[in-house]
Amino acid sequence: MYKETKFYKMGTVISNRVFGKHVDEVLLAAFQEVERLEGMLSRFISNSEISKMNHLSGIGYQQVSSETYELLSNGVNFSKLSNGCFDITIGPLVDFWRQSKSNRTQPNHYELKSILPLVNFIDIEFDECKKTVALKKAGQSIDIGGIGKGYAADKVIEVFKKYGMESGFTNFGGNVAVMGVKPDNSPWNIGIRHPRKENSIIGVVSVTDKSVVTSGDYQRYFIDNKGNRYHHILNPCTGYPSESGLISVTVLADSSMEADALSTIIFISGLSNVKKYLNVFPGIEVILIDKELNVYISSGIKDCFKTTKNIEVNIL
Amino acid sequence: MKSINEVKIKRKGKKKMVGWSIAIVFIAVLGIGGTIGWSKVSREHIEAKSLPLDGVDFNKLSDGTYIGEYEGGMYKWRTNKVQVTVASGKVTDIKLISSKELSENNTYHIDLYNRVLEEQTLKVDTISGATLTSKAYLQGIENALKQAQK
């Protein structure tokens, strides 16, 4: 028996599907888990641990749960590894762009540059014994947007396992994690959205026990009053939406959090740096699409990735 | 006593009314007929759009050649017979054997058959993509409600 639920949380649509007994209980538990994580990690919920920490920026330390501590430490590790292409202190920059989006105005370059020094993961101070965390400068803020959905997807899969499910998936608005094989023992077929054709896919990857996360420039964006288009994946170094030549980056990994962070990092770093990440994380696979709609994949998935008609694949 | 002129005017008025009545009845008949006709056609469009291939699990096909028939459309004018070949568990060929509607020169069904051949390898369980925003969904609801408001 299988069942699927859909709900709105963490700013997106989340669907969970499980096969097994007691599907209603497990789906309810999965929903409650997402609600709990959102309450702990969202900076848009005023009493979340992250919000409290952001309010104390430049003032002092905030006590956090071991989960939040772990997530923040992981976030900083990804920042170090990517030389700042990924930064969880990106909050002030995200706020700046959100403001521009709601006003539909061209972002003020000088204002943007004045905000940029606030974005720096080096300013997060950790006290491991006390499990407290602080932001050094006033006005700094944590935004776990680049890692939080992956982290939560891993937690949902943990819930499925705790309830004895053998098969299922969770999809956080495009951020997918699958568990096991399908009940007929075949792998899960995950469509990869076409970055330029709406309601269309560019290919299908068949996987078991994997997370498949895509970063693309096509979903969250805005057009200002001068007609310039800005997508939502910000390069913390320049302050502007990333222009690396890649328009869609899919990462397959065992950990959804890892896939989430690495899809953003590779999107910003560009095609020329992808080999470095494939070496550092030998377990991952990638599907990259550039502006000219050329498709590149890592060699490990050449047998389980199929594209739609007339699309050629280059193997990295 | 009514003058002759008065009587004439009234008669003219009656004639006008009869003319209008005929016109209104004529328009109404056209309208009703059109609506019924359109509803039939649109029902057929809906039927065509919603014809599912979902009932087929492309992962579980036995090899062989199969003939399928479908009596579709108003007055069964879309009746067609098709031959499907499955080899190594995959649909390898689809041929139209007979059709009421299509002549040999008419080939638009070929595109459709190619789509089926393509789709069997592209049957997906879920889709990975840049994170959707729930705001887009809420915007849709808002736009719908705006139309509902006077």
Side-chain angles (χ1 to χ4, degrees), chain A residues 97-98 101 196 215-223 228-235 239-248 264 267-268, chain B residues 130:
Chain A
W97 281 95
R98 187 165 285 134
K101 184 178 178 174
R196 289 294 177 262
S215 284
D217 68 350
Y218 49 91
Q219 194 56 247
R220 296 184 176 200
Y221 63 89
F222 81 100
I223 295 164
N228 302 307
R229 183 182 183 278
Y230 305 96
H231 67 79
H232 78 294
I233 304 173
L234 301 171
N235 183 338
Y240 282 90
S242 166
E243 294 291 344
S244 69
L246 294 175
I247 59 168
S248 171
T264 309
F267 188 99
I268 294 168

Side-chain angles (χ1 to χ4, degrees), chain B:
Chain B
M1 243 189 96
K2 288 176 190 170
S3 72
I4 294 167
N5 271 348
E6 232 178 305
V7 173
K8 267 190 183 168
I9 288 165
K10 273 203 173 169
R11 274 202 185 144
K12 259 192 186 170
K14 264 192 186 167
K15 264 192 186 167
K16 245 190 188 174
M17 263 175 64
V18 170
W20 273 113
S21 307
I22 290 168
I24 286 167
V25 169
F26 185 66
I27 289 165
V29 167
L30 268 185
I32 293 165
T35 312
I36 292 170
W38 176 249
S39 77
K40 273 204 172 179
V41 171
S42 71
R43 208 182 304 149
E44 197 183 332
H45 284 177
I46 290 164
E47 184 191 325
K49 267 188 192 168
S50 60
L51 278 179
L53 273 172
D54 298 351
V56 180
D57 186 347
F58 282 96
N59 295 316
K60 288 180 190 165
L61 297 175
S62 308
D63 291 358
T65 304
Y66 307 91
I67 290 175
E69 215 172 337
Y70 174 68
E71 292 186 339
M74 254 192 286
Y75 313 113
K76 299 184 180 173
W77 64 27
R78 301 258 152 84
T79 296
N80 71 88
K81 211 183 239 185
V82 70
Q83 179 183 299
V84 180
T85 310
V86 179
S88 309
K90 281 196 167 176
V91 178
T92 53
D93 190 33
I94 305 174
K95 260 193 207 115
L96 186 70
I97 301 175
S98 69
S99 162
K100 259 192 185 178
E101 186 186 29
L102 295 175
S103 68
E104 274 182 18
N105 306 329
N106 204 334
T107 55
Y108 74 71
H109 62 288
I110 290 175
D111 279 344
L112 190 70
Y113 291 172
N114 282 338
R115 231 182 66 199
V116 176
L117 291 172
E118 192 184 326
E119 249 183 50
Q120 64 174 342
T121 52
L122 297 174
K123 201 84 184 149
V124 301
D125 298 302
T126 190
I127 291 173
S128 174
T131 324
L132 291 169
T133 160
S134 60
K135 284 200 184 117
Y137 290 84
L138 296 175
Q139 193 64 50
I141 297 168
E142 200 180 298
N143 290 345
L145 289 176
K146 269 184 195 161
Q147 291 173 34
Q149 270 166 11
K150 281 179 187 174

Side-chain angles (χ1 to χ4, degrees), chain A residues 292-304:
Chain A
E292 284 79 38
L293 293 178
N294 296 309
V295 180
Y296 304 86
I297 64 167
S298 50
S299 57
I301 48 166
K302 63 177 193 292
D303 296 326
C304 56

